[in-house]
Amino acid sequence: MVREQYTTITEGTQIERPENQAVYKIGIYGWRKRCLYLFVLLLLIILLVNFALTIWILRVMWFSPVGMGHLHVTADGLRLEGESEFLFPLYVKEIRSREDSSLLLQSTQNVTVNARNTEGEVTGRLKVGPQMVEVQSQQFQIHSKDGKPLFTVDEEKVMVGTDKLRVTGPEGALFEHSVETPLVRPDPLQDLRLESPTRSLSMDAPKGVHIQAPAGKFEALTQMDILLQSSDGTLVLDAETVCLPELALGSHGPAGSSQGLYEVCACPDGKLYLSVAGVGTTCHEHSHLCL
């Protein structure tokens, strides 16, 4: 420690100074000074490297006052130009494309869109995978550009709102339950076939069922019985010719007596059979066919 001494003297007094008084220098000298300069130089180098890296990152990431690269920050949200790849889930309120281009969502595995409520539970899900498209929701609807419902599906029913539903598959359409429609018809020059391989086929309508084949024939095939029943009306067969080729035929009468004419007879249970025509009715002669 350097100690300073102050001496008060009067004018004309002489003070003798010691000849060997020690002199102390204040400062950093020697190896300490060199280490300090080296440390300052190292800090300057680090500062320059950091500044250069910052400039390089800004240039590579295309930072600008309005955003970063193709990502621009606007008053309505974020605007992204070109193609982008998201490695983690994306949470947004609305996604839309430009007016002059379409919106494309693409993934190597699947694309999943979830809708959640305030508690974070999934209320609706759309999953597009490599083999199937899966929709999980209480109701699924497809609307036209005018807002008209075209297709609606829920737990109870499936409704098609278009004027025409066309099935183009070679095997037709398979329905496990009932179908409600005002009209069923095939394409022009194609046959219409309604078939139930293992069960019964029933057609019901409150105001009647109309079957029409303007350019062909109507054919009904069954392994068991065909029942035509009218609870309050009449069964009318209106045709130029009514052919019943498999009716039971009674025994023939004397040769030349019938002249090839037969009488149609009916049993009490509705069974029909043929009897050789005579001057009077001959049904009672062959009534044993009703047994």
Side-chain angles (χ1 to χ4, degrees):
M1 178 180 295
V2 179
R3 177 178 297 177
E4 296 183 357
Q5 296 180 356
Y6 299 90
T7 304
T8 304
I9 58 175
T10 57
E11 186 177 356
T13 305
Q14 295 182 356
I15 299 176
E16 296 182 358
R17 298 179 180 272
E19 296 181 356
N20 297 327
Q21 184 177 4
V23 179
Y24 296 92
K25 298 180 179 180
I26 301 175
I28 300 176
Y29 300 94
W31 63 273
R32 295 185 180 86
K33 183 176 182 181
R34 290 191 294 269
C35 291
L36 178 62
Y37 288 163
L38 181 61
F39 181 71
V40 173
L41 180 60
L42 182 60
L43 290 179
L44 183 61
I45 294 175
I46 294 175
L47 179 62
L48 294 177
V49 171
N50 289 337
F51 182 75
L53 288 177
T54 303
I55 298 298
W56 179 76
I57 292 176
L58 292 177
R59 295 289 297 176
V60 171
M61 301 300 294
W62 294 358
F63 280 99
S64 63
V66 297
M68 181 181 65
H70 296 295
L71 183 63
H72 301 284
V73 181
T74 62
D76 299 332
L78 299 178
R79 179 178 179 181
L80 188 60
E81 299 287 346
E83 299 181 0
S84 299
E85 180 178 357
F86 298 94
L87 303 179
F88 297 97
L90 177 64
Y91 299 91
V92 294
K93 181 180 180 180
E94 180 182 359
I95 299 178
R96 61 182 179 180
S97 64
R98 296 174 52 181
E99 297 181 356
D100 56 348
S101 62
S102 59
L103 177 62
L104 176 62
L105 301 178
Q106 184 176 359
S107 174
T108 56
Q109 297 296 326
N110 59 70
V111 177
T112 304
V113 180
N114 293 332
R116 301 178 182 270
N117 55 14
T118 55
E119 299 178 356
E121 300 177 353
V122 178
T123 58
R125 173 178 297 172
L126 173 62
K127 182 179 180 181
V128 181
Q131 297 181 355
M132 64 179 299
V133 177
E134 180 181 353
V135 178
Q136 179 182 350
S137 179
Q138 296 182 355
Q139 189 179 68
F140 176 72
Q141 290 186 351
I142 299 178
H143 296 266
S144 64
K145 62 179 181 180
D146 300 331
K148 178 182 178 181
L150 302 179
F151 186 76
T152 304
V153 180
D154 54 23
E155 295 182 357
E156 299 180 355
K157 62 182 178 180
V158 176
M159 184 179 66
V160 179
T162 58
D163 298 335
K164 181 186 299 184
L165 174 62
R166 182 178 181 183
V167 181
T168 59
E171 299 296 330
L174 176 62
F175 300 97
E176 297 183 357
H177 302 284
S178 61
V179 178
E180 181 179 351
T181 177
L183 177 63
V184 178
R185 67 180 180 183
D187 290 336
L189 304 179
Q190 298 293 331
D191 296 334
L192 175 62
R193 184 175 182 180
L194 302 178
E195 180 180 1
S196 179
T198 58
R199 300 293 181 89
S200 61
L201 177 62
S202 175
M203 292 184 293
D204 302 327
K207 294 184 179 181
V209 178
H210 181 65
I211 301 176
Q212 182 180 5
K217 63 180 181 178
F218 169 74
E219 183 177 359
L221 301 177
T222 179
Q223 185 178 359
M224 302 298 290
D225 299 333
I226 297 179
L227 178 63
L228 301 177
Q229 181 180 359
S230 177
S231 59
D232 186 13
T234 304
L235 179 61
V236 179
L237 300 177
D238 186 6
E240 183 179 354
T241 302
V242 178
C243 182
L244 301 174
E246 300 295 334
L247 290 181
L249 179 62
S251 60
H252 294 276
S257 61
S258 64
Q259 299 179 356
L261 300 178
Y262 296 90
E263 182 180 359
V264 179
C265 304
C267 297
D269 59 355
K271 181 180 179 180
L272 300 179
Y273 63 93
L274 294 179
S275 178
V276 178
V279 178
T281 179
T282 59
C283 291
H284 61 281
E285 299 178 2
H286 307 288
S287 60
H288 62 279
L289 298 174
C290 296
L291 302 177

